[in-house]
Amino acid sequence: MIEKEFELNEQTLSVVEEMGGHMPGGFFIYRAEEPEELIYANKPVFDIFGCSSMEEFRALTGWTFRGMVHPDDYDRISGSILEQISSDDEHMDYAEYRIIRKDGVIRWVDDYGHFLETKGHGGIYTVFISDITEKHERIRSHIEGHKETIKALSETIQKSKQERIAFSRVAQALARDYICIYVVEPDTDEFVEYSSLEEYDQFGLEKKGGDFFNLSRKNMERLIYPEDRERILAVFTKDRVMSILERDGIFTAKYRLMFEEGPRYISMKATLFDDEDSRHLIIGINNIDAQIKRERDYQKKIAEVKNRAKNDFLANMSHDIRTPMNAIVGYTSIANSHLDDPEIVRDSLEKIGSASHFLLSLINDVLDMSKIESGKMQLSMGECDLSSVLHRIEDITSIQARTRSLNISYDQSRMKNFHVWADEMRIEQILVNIVSNAIKYTPRGKEVDLIAEELGRQEDGRNRYRFTIRDTGIGISEDYLPYIFDSFSREQNTKTNRIQGTGLGLAITAQIVELMGGSISVKSKVGEGSEFTVVLDLESRTPAGARTDEAPRKIGEGLQGQRILLVEDNDVNAEIATMILSQYGVVSERAENGRVCLDTIRQKEEGYYGAVLMDLQMPEMNGYDAAEAIRKTGGDYFARIPIIAMSANAYDEDVRRCLEAGMNDHVAKPFKPEILISRLEKYIGEGK
Ligand code: ADP
């Protein structure tokens, strides 16, 4: 059985692209959800649309399915596709519609679609498409050219003088494209059948007669593959077929017939044909077994790829989690058995610290990756001060560089406008990732540079910024370079093998850059070093109350003597936060939950606390409710006191909920001391 839930993600999409590139016919994938955005289309699709490149095709169709279909045909077929996939166990559909090529010429295509639920993209359609204009023209001209014959034919049938019907040339012509054709008179249910293939004769079906629908249903009971029987019999009644035809102009069904060699897929297509005074129902039966098999093979391959990707992922994860966990467990027990030797205890703690740091970054990376893949990663746009971003990066990375005896330099001499509208945290994440890599993959004593430059105003009014991170490290081989932004990819060589990493950092970095509409590139030579370049176009902002020409301050300086209310139910967390705060001269008082927080803050005189650090999940009253209640207390102090959430609920939705509840900001737990302190400083102390 083919699995319905297919994981279409970075890894599998590249395989889909690879397969799509080798397919002879048109193949594309689009999201079921409005606006039906395309995920992939292969080159034959561009050819069908008369486009010579992806860019042309994008411009022509807006990269949506709707944009591919002739506007006059869209409503008809989109209704029919929905109806088909919901009535078909395999979620397959068939449609014929017009498209408008780049040169303005209208062409007919057929569309064999398949609906799938995926984790990454929700409902998607995979579609095989081909140009059937010539075939269509042929059928149409046959019908047009033989209108008289059809009319005569139907009159004859209506007069119940079927023996007088010569072998109709129309039906004969039509039958060339089908195994067999039925011409039915809806008023009387009389019919004539023409078959072009002898294989269909094996069923011994009536060639003409009356009571078409009932007779067909009786034959269907006998000939349709048992699994498909009920489904088809439920729709194939005269009333259903006619009402679908009235609405959509076409009725299609797909099912298996029991041929002597075994069941084979058959498609039935019915249309109404009007001549001056009466209408005829024309039903074509076709063998689509090969087509379905092709689709099946493709689905099977996808399922295999999916499985492989999943296994790789699990193997990677279990290795990457086990390694630091081993270190944590091992060094804890070493420290425990050497409590009287401070040297060993210190050394063990250091190793536990670095392993837990790695574990945390792994968890954050996996969360980011899953957010990106499910399309949930969103930018939190706001006022962003690039100079403080660069300072923080300097704070973090200069320590890393020092411990590895590297020379690191920061150059922002070509920056003028630091205030922009952007997601400050994500910009920091991008740069910290790349600089940390440069430090990680550069041997002791060598150089790392971070250069931030402003390149000037773009046509759309935004400023272009370029960040260059250059190192004189081990470099990246030409073979690996094309895969450097793939998730879980790491260069396999003796040097990198000894350096801890998951191969997720750059994948995430590249995705965030893309989300920001920017670009990232890399140049490298083994043994000489690497250069990563990130280019971002950002909107300038003049911040309210901006201070300029200010000497950089040390982080936490403005917090001395501030008093804050720490709302936290967990003793360990409270102790950690209290210790960190006290190192920066901040006095903290603790409330065990939202209710205690409310009582305390209302009892003290106004202005007593400089800020509230708020946990979110707590007994009695949670952080959201407490923050809301503080804001509703009334008066300037309660309306303005900075409330910063401190929580392990670190998804964007959680952050949004915090802001909605009236909090000013959110710091994810566990936090780096500098992050908490710089965030506090942003709202109180001098940074206020
Ligand atoms: P990792 O967690 O392995 O560092 P990344 O996605 O950040 O994962 O990087 C992927 C791979 O790219 C690394 O494993 C390494 O092989 C290579 N790489 C990244 N940056 C550099 C660099 N500055 N110099 C050399 N190799 C690098």
Side-chain angles (χ1 to χ4, degrees), residues 400-418:
Q400 294 174 349
R402 209 173 313 130
T403 51
R404 292 186 40 84
S405 318
L406 287 173
N407 299 314
I408 187 160
S409 74
Y410 307 90
D411 177 359
Q412 35 174 292
S413 55
R414 290 184 55 193
M415 291 278 291
K416 281 197 302 280
N417 300 299
F418 285 96

Side-chain angles (χ1 to χ4, degrees), residues 30-130:
Y30 67 95
R31 287 182 218 277
E33 198 176 276
E34 285 288 340
E36 303 185 318
E37 184 198 352
L38 290 170
I39 297 172
Y40 169 71
N42 70 358
K43 186 168 171 304
V45 176
F46 308 159
D47 295 342
I48 290 173
F49 280 79
C51 294
S52 59
S53 69
M54 169 94 164
E55 286 67 37
E56 279 185 19
F57 180 70
R58 257 182 199 274
L60 182 69
T61 60
W63 197 239
T64 61
F65 175 63
R66 186 190 267 271
M68 291 172 66
V69 181
H70 192 295
D72 294 346
D73 290 356
Y74 180 79
D75 288 341
R76 169 179 66 81
I77 62 125
S78 72
S80 146
I81 287 174
L82 269 183
E83 158 104 19
Q84 291 179 56
I85 58 151
S86 52
S87 66
D88 180 328
D89 287 349
E90 303 278 345
H91 299 314
M92 301 214 229
D93 64 79
Y94 176 82
E96 289 179 6
Y97 47 87
R98 287 168 297 172
I99 60 158
I100 307 174
R101 259 187 357 200
K102 182 162 177 275
D103 56 10
V105 173
I106 293 178
R107 306 282 294 179
W108 277 92
V109 296
D110 65 1
D111 163 319
Y112 288 91
H114 187 177
F115 176 81
L116 288 167
E117 252 329 310
T118 70
K119 280 221 181 88
H121 298 269
I124 60 162
Y125 285 95
T126 59
V127 183
F128 292 97
I129 182 179
S130 49

